[in-house]
Amino acid sequence: QDNKDYISGLDEFRKGIETGGYDLVSGVGTLLFGGLDYSFDTEFLTGFEGIMKKADTELSRPETWQGDVVALMTQFGVPGGVIQSIVNRIPKVAKIKKAISTIKGSKKRKVSKIASRAVEGATIVGATDFIASEPGRESFFFEPESTEGLTGRKKAAATLRNKVKYGQEGTLIGGGFPLVGKGMQLGFKYGLKP
């Protein structure tokens, strides 16, 4: 029984990596081909979607929450790490962090660190969602615009509007992580218990 569970766990891990990779390629390809179609009024996006639909029928998606977590980490963690590296190499970001570290007074420093983390989180998660979110992904704050029946430039415009909305949603969520984390930390410090 334990051996079967072990093999099943490895299989879910494999499915998660394959699914996350597929969804990442779908998100990046949609952005790339949507941009081409919008610029040149071509049908690359429709062709790409056809290729991806065929590949989706051959894909074995995870059946457990563990496999879903691996898929999400593959789809969003890989580009998020790249974006994090890029953001950290921007000279102005380094200057802002250095300025924050020179602020005197613990309360002012804490507030400025939280604000810095919120801006950084908003930037990274927003950019990652914009780049990596695949078409048709469920959303917390908006209903994705339908592209059914659209072609060429009109379909590309609707697709890109959806990508921008995913990015906006990611910006809101990413900016909120440091605020929620600090709020929970203070809650535990002053006696709130789970």
Side-chain angles (χ1 to χ4, degrees), residues 14-15 18-19 22 50-61:
R14 177 194 57 79
K15 288 177 183 179
E18 287 178 2
T19 298
Y22 170 86
I51 291 168
M52 294 307 286
K53 246 182 212 163
K54 184 177 184 233
D56 189 36
T57 61
E58 299 166 8
L59 185 67
S60 179
R61 294 205 174 257

Side-chain angles (χ1 to χ4, degrees), residues 113-169:
K113 276 186 176 179
I114 293 168
S116 171
R117 288 180 185 150
V119 170
E120 188 176 355
T123 303
I124 292 166
V125 177
T128 302
D129 266 3
F130 175 73
I131 292 168
S133 290
E134 78 276 15
R137 177 177 261 308
E138 290 183 27
S139 169
F140 293 114
F141 302 120
F142 75 96
E143 182 68 32
E145 193 174 326
S146 175
T147 58
E148 209 162 308
L150 300 176
T151 59
R153 188 169 279 143
K154 287 183 179 181
K155 181 175 186 171
T159 301
L160 292 173
R161 282 192 296 272
N162 283 338
K163 293 291 255 180
V164 168
K165 290 175 185 175
Y166 286 125
Q168 289 172 333
E169 181 177 75

